[in-house]
Amino acid sequence: VQLVESGGGLVQAGGSLRLSCAASGFTFDDYAIGWFRQAPGKEREGISSISSSDGRLLYADSVKGRFTISSDNAKNTVYLQMNSLKPEDTAVYYCAADKLALRFWLGPDFPPDYWGQGTQVTVSS
């Protein structure tokens, strides 16, 4: 199983970035894919997930209305479009996969099974 994130970088506040998560080694349609982030000195935070089985999209309150998750099943890739970025969005962003979408929202004691290596997003003020 492999999850490879890309698209991170440095952007000014108010700007946009699109992260990609390319998945391989498992049946994409059987899994929920989602995004976490971890800022220095803070706990890892689940921010969005997409369930392949029913297409359900979930967002943390901190990103709702600014971030959009989507998937291209033909490419086994999930995207996170991030708009109106704020300095507090600065973090390492991780893509993860699990058969249960709930695993993205149960906290650090019940993490998803598979993880990418992370990509840095830095938002300057």
Side-chain angles (χ1 to χ4, degrees), residues 22-74:
S24 61
F26 61 94
T27 304
F28 189 78
D29 292 350
D30 289 345
Y31 281 74
I33 309 288
W35 293 90
F36 288 78
R37 67 184 181 186
Q38 188 164 21
K42 294 189 176 181
E43 280 194 355
R44 187 174 60 202
E45 173 189 21
I47 58 172
S48 186
S49 65
I50 181 167
S51 177
S52 295
S53 61
D54 60 9
R56 188 178 185 189
L57 311 179
L58 293 173
Y59 298 95
D61 288 343
S62 57
V63 304
K64 200 173 293 183
R66 300 187 299 121
F67 291 10
T68 302
I69 192 170
S70 62
S71 69
D72 184 336
N73 287 16

Side-chain angles (χ1 to χ4, degrees), residues 1-5 21-26 28 33 76 95-97 114-117:
V1 174
Q2 191 172 25
L3 299 168
V4 179
E5 303 98 333
C21 173
S24 61
F26 61 94
F28 189 78
I33 309 288
N76 284 6
C95 172
Y114 305 113
W115 291 82
Q117 82 287 352

Side-chain angles (χ1 to χ4, degrees), residues 78-99:
V78 170
Y79 304 97
L80 186 69
Q81 178 66 43
M82 306 186 295
N83 298 330
S84 302
L85 283 162
K86 305 174 182 180
E88 51 263 44
D89 293 318
T90 295
V92 178
Y93 284 70
Y94 297 91
C95 172
D98 198 284
K99 287 197 172 184

